[in-house]
Amino acid sequence: MAMTHDYLDFLNSRIDISPANSQEELQAAEVISDLMAQHDVEVSTEEFDEPVVSGLTPAILAIASLVGIVLVGVGVLPLTLIGLLLAIAPAAVSVARLFGHRFSISFGPRAQSQNVVAVHRATGPLVTKGSRTIVVVAHYDTPHENPLYTSPLAPYLTLASRLTVPCALGVAACAFIQILGFLPGAFRVLFWVVGILAAVPAAVLAVGSIAERMAPCTEGANDNKSGVAALLGILENVRPSGAEPRAREVAKPEQPEADEDGAPSEEAGAVETDASAPVVAPAAEPVLGTRHGEEVLRSLGILPESCEIEYVIPAAPEPPAPAATMAFDVAADAGTTREDLMSTGRLSAMDEGGEGVGPKDDAGLSELVEDFDSDATRPTAPIERPDAPSDPEWGKTSYRPQLSSVARRASLFDLPDPSENEADPFATDPQATRVQASGEVANAAAAEPAEAPAPAAPIDTITPEDVARAGEKPKRGLRSLLGKLRRRPSSEVETDDDVPEDDGTWRGGAAARAGLRLVEDDEPVADEQPAEDEPSEEELRDAVLTLGDDALLAHDIWFAALGGSSLGNAGMRAFLARHRSDIRGCFVVNLSCVGAGHLTALKTEGLEETRRADRRMVRLLSGVASDLHVELAQEPHDWEDTDATPAMRSSLRSVTLMGLGPNGLPALSRTADDVEDNVNGDKAAQVASLVTEMIRRS
């Protein structure tokens, strides 16, 4: 998944910050659209609008609840009634949401945003009518910094969020007690204080949310860019583009530095204006005379006053004379002809045939004359070569050199002594004698000779004990059967008593058994060096995963880069409103903050109307993560909504993959530490592999 790393680097270099409802967000959408279009898929940019205060509804209600509980205890009837309404409103909205009635603020100015959607239509032999649609989503808008995420309260933010709903109900109850005049005053004051304390957690979170809208943006290297890079990595696995996502920006040519007198410097050479097409400046014309005068050189203050300055124009170098091919020292007068020179045997290289230098032998090769003088004017007499052998077969394919009598006798030295009785290891009866003392052949073994065996070692190296052991049938029995059941060679099951000790005697084969040993799989080999072109574990995993491309291409896969996520997940809601009928029965996978932290599959999502992630998808992702050796945890996220939460509430099978930090918050999200140096591209690549394999198996 090397392309996932390239996409992450490209997004970090091309996209700086892109908050929702900004021109930078629109430019980021155009960049992502261009990257998706390289994969030959249907790409479209879908615009939508959303109220600017969208997503701040819980914060506004929390502030209203705190103000209401304070006013209800003042004791002034009009303020008490206003405070009662403000304190009860958050509780009423929470109860309405529990019954499925959504409430959000829709007045005020509206923000503009857009989604970038690419669709891969199912292809291949495995396409069926009921193949499941897959939707992969990730948001690309950059969040703002939240001061609470870097404060000492960060480890307690998840708990405070979970307490907002019960605390809202408690504040409403305490406010209602304040209007009961028949209760003792001290009792009402006690519940008034309790109500104020109950409104504090939600008010703290509300202050953080409002301050986040006015805080500077983060770089979003992990919060949004890592998820988009993983999404593009999955798209690369489905529809490879074959191109690297590299920037092709045309840079302005650098102006050459000028000298003191305004002339351009001679060092100005090639100026590269494009990453792929360097533009070379025309070669500078030679300068005649001097570029600087004596006054300019004196003004630099480098040379002492007593130094004399004299300009000398160097003479142009003469072109080198062409090298002669061969020099000859031949004493000849003007009437010497070519035939006279060729007769000396010294100028054969100048012949039209180009046969080489020097006299030739019968085979056409140059003679190796020891006393040949290269400076002599006359060739020396050639040395006579010995005549060819007198054998009439000389020069024919059937020629064989004749061996001398000594060589003939030497070939008999390896034969066994016929006067000794030795056993024949290839005979049927190993104990039968091979040759008797009288020289007659014994037994019927020599009556019908068998095929000649392969050349073996001398007979004198084989002892009768070796022959006896060779004729015995090995004792295997039950041990051999157990060895076959375990899919091991039976020799591994035999004990030391069954196999005779190896004495190092060679019994045929490539090498003797002596000195050989069995190396276990996990035993390191000292001399073994890894090959330079040995594939890495990631390359091997990618090669194995690509074997099931037919199963991968058999699905309709939607890739949605969502905008306006910080506006109450407005991008996902706009996508569902437009394509709800097209993606009926689909799997939705949301990728968020996957470049850092501990990769986690969120089991539950949403503070109000909490929904559970699809169990089948969670089991499928867990199985794939186990097979790919990727650590995948499962944690609840019932304190905040994600982009997958609206899909869950629309009865779509959904799950979110998110990197969580040690405090349970999204890793590096809404902090100044969300920079490129803190993001690991390998984690994003693992998520791309994980989701790709999940699509194959779904």
Side-chain angles (χ1 to χ4, degrees):
M1 301 300 172
M3 283 294 292
T4 305
H5 299 80
D6 296 338
Y7 282 126
L8 184 58
D9 296 339
F10 181 79
L11 294 175
N12 284 320
S13 62
R14 287 295 303 274
I15 300 176
D16 187 11
I17 59 173
S18 53
N21 191 30
S22 66
Q23 183 66 24
E24 291 79 7
E25 185 190 28
L26 178 60
Q27 295 174 356
E30 294 175 352
V31 172
I32 297 174
S33 177
D34 293 340
L35 292 176
M36 289 182 172
Q38 296 177 2
H39 298 271
D40 193 18
V41 291
E42 305 175 11
V43 183
S44 60
T45 302
E46 303 172 355
E47 297 182 355
F48 62 90
D49 56 0
E50 187 73 12
V52 176
V53 296
S54 181
L56 292 178
T57 301
I60 295 175
L61 293 177
I63 297 296
S65 177
L66 179 61
V67 173
I69 190 62
V70 172
L71 294 179
V72 78
V74 173
V76 180
L77 183 59
L79 296 179
T80 301
L81 296 178
I82 296 175
L84 179 62
L85 295 177
L86 295 177
I88 293 178
V93 172
S94 299
V95 172
R97 288 179 176 176
L98 292 177
F99 289 96
H101 299 284
R102 299 289 301 172
F103 175 79
S104 61
I105 300 176
S106 59
F107 58 86
R110 306 186 71 83
Q112 299 291 328
S113 186
Q114 56 280 319
N115 295 331
V116 183
V117 180
V119 183
H120 158 72
R121 300 299 179 183
T123 58
L126 300 182
V127 177
T128 58
K129 183 178 180 180
S131 59
R132 188 177 298 276
T133 302
I134 309 296
V135 179
V136 184
V137 299
H139 70 275
Y140 67 90
D141 60 307
T142 306
H144 297 259
E145 295 183 14
N146 192 320
L148 297 179
Y149 279 59
T150 55
S151 67
L153 299 177
Y156 309 102
L157 294 181
T158 58
L159 177 60
S161 298
R162 293 186 178 97
L163 293 177
T164 53
V165 174
C167 286
L169 299 177
V171 170
C174 293
F176 182 74
I177 291 176
Q178 301 304 313
I179 63 174
L180 300 178
F182 58 88
L183 295 177
F187 183 80
R188 287 183 295 169
V189 171
L190 176 62
F191 276 92
W192 181 52
V193 175
V194 171
I196 294 175
L197 296 178
V200 169
V204 172
L205 296 177
V207 171
S209 299
I210 297 174
E212 178 181 343
R213 291 294 183 94
M214 297 178 291
C217 292
T218 67
E219 292 188 10
N222 185 54
D223 189 279
N224 60 310
K225 296 176 184 176
S226 64
V228 176
L231 181 143
L232 294 174
I234 300 170
L235 179 57
E236 175 69 23
N237 297 334
V238 177
R239 301 290 291 269
S241 63
E244 295 184 359
R246 292 289 183 247
R248 299 295 179 186
E249 297 179 348
V250 178
K252 296 182 179 179
E254 298 181 358
Q255 298 295 335
E257 298 180 359
D259 298 325
E260 280 82 358
D261 57 355
S265 175
E266 294 181 352
E267 298 179 356
V271 180
E272 186 174 347
T273 58
D274 186 70
S276 59
V279 178
V280 181
E285 296 180 356
V287 180
L288 302 177
T290 58
R291 180 179 298 275
H292 302 293
E294 181 180 356
E295 297 179 358
V296 176
L297 189 57
R298 292 286 187 188
S299 63
L300 297 178
I302 300 176
L303 301 177
E305 295 293 338
S306 60
C307 180
E308 297 181 0
I309 301 175
E310 180 181 0
Y311 287 94
V312 178
I313 302 177
E318 297 181 358
T325 305
M326 184 176 297
F328 300 97
D329 186 12
V330 180
D333 54 8
T336 303
T337 62
R338 181 175 180 272
E339 288 73 11
D340 297 336
L341 294 177
M342 294 297 296
S343 63
T344 61
R346 298 282 309 277
L347 302 179
S348 60
M350 304 302 294
D351 193 4
E352 296 179 359
E355 299 294 338
V357 179
K360 303 294 186 287
D361 56 9
D362 296 338
L365 303 177
S366 298
E367 285 192 72
L368 300 177
V369 182
E370 297 180 357
D371 57 350
F372 181 78
D373 187 4
S374 60
D375 296 331
T377 59
R378 297 180 180 178
T380 58
I383 299 177
E384 297 182 357
R385 300 177 62 89
D387 297 335
S390 59
D391 193 338
E393 298 295 330
W394 169 259
K396 300 181 180 180
T397 58
S398 60
Y399 171 75
R400 296 292 184 273
Q402 297 181 1
L403 299 177
S404 63
S405 59
V406 178
R408 292 179 181 274
R409 290 194 300 271
S411 63
L412 301 177
F413 291 162
D414 294 338
L415 295 179
D417 189 359
S419 62
E420 297 181 1
N421 294 334
E422 297 185 2
D424 185 4
F426 301 101
T428 305
D429 186 4
Q431 300 300 330
T433 57
R434 183 180 178 218
V435 181
Q436 296 181 354
S438 60
E440 298 177 358
V441 178
N443 298 330
E448 186 177 357
E451 296 180 3
I459 296 297
D460 55 358
T461 61
I462 302 178
T463 61
E465 290 78 5
D466 298 334
V467 177
R469 286 196 299 267
E472 295 179 1
K473 186 177 181 180
K475 301 178 182 179
R476 295 181 179 179
L478 181 59
R479 294 186 180 90
S480 177
L481 178 60
L482 293 177
K484 293 180 179 180
L485 292 178
R486 297 177 181 176
R487 295 183 179 179
R488 299 188 303 178
S490 58
S491 59
E492 298 182 11
V493 186
E494 296 176 354
T495 60
D496 296 337
D497 299 335
D498 297 324
V499 181
E501 183 179 0
D502 188 9
D503 56 358
T505 303
W506 183 77
R507 298 182 178 85
R513 294 183 58 189
L516 299 179
R517 62 187 182 91
L518 180 64
V519 181
E520 301 293 339
D521 295 339
D522 54 350
E523 182 178 352
V525 180
D527 298 335
E528 183 179 358
Q529 298 294 337
E532 296 181 358
D533 56 349
E534 183 178 357
S536 62
E537 181 180 355
E538 181 180 353
E539 293 175 346
L540 291 175
R541 181 175 65 245
D542 296 343
V544 173
L545 294 180
T546 53
L547 296 178
D549 281 343
D550 288 341
L552 178 64
L553 300 177
H555 299 272
D556 286 344
I557 308 177
W558 293 63
F559 301 91
L562 305 177
S565 179
S566 59
L567 302 176
N569 311 115
M572 187 62 182
R573 290 189 281 108
F575 174 78
L576 295 176
R578 180 170 300 191
H579 302 287
R580 183 66 178 87
S581 59
D582 300 331
I583 60 174
R584 183 179 294 107
C586 67
F587 280 169
V588 179
V589 182
N590 176 36
L591 308 178
S592 178
C593 304
V594 295
H598 190 7
L599 184 61
T600 306
L602 305 184
K603 297 190 297 184
T604 56
E605 298 183 16
L607 176 61
E608 298 174 340
E609 298 182 76
T610 303
R611 292 292 184 268
R612 180 183 296 272
D614 185 67
R615 297 181 180 180
R616 178 182 175 184
M617 295 184 65
V618 173
R619 288 195 302 267
L620 192 58
L621 288 172
S622 300
V624 173
S626 177
D627 295 340
L628 298 182
H629 305 286
V630 177
E631 296 183 3
L632 180 64
Q634 299 182 22
E635 297 291 340
H637 198 76
D638 54 352
W639 60 275
E640 185 185 34
D641 292 354
T642 68
D643 287 325
T645 307
M648 295 179 181
R649 291 169 180 162
S650 299
S651 302
L652 295 179
R653 300 175 180 269
S654 309
V655 68
T656 296
L657 296 178
M658 178 181 292
L660 297 180
N663 51 13
L665 300 174
L668 305 179
S669 178
R670 301 179 177 89
T671 64
D673 296 333
D674 192 2
V675 295
E676 181 180 0
D677 295 338
N678 296 331
V679 177
N680 189 354
D682 293 338
K683 292 182 178 292
Q686 286 181 352
V687 172
S689 302
L690 186 66
V691 177
T692 302
E693 184 62 18
M694 186 214 73
I695 297 175
R696 287 192 182 98
R697 300 185 184 184
S698 60

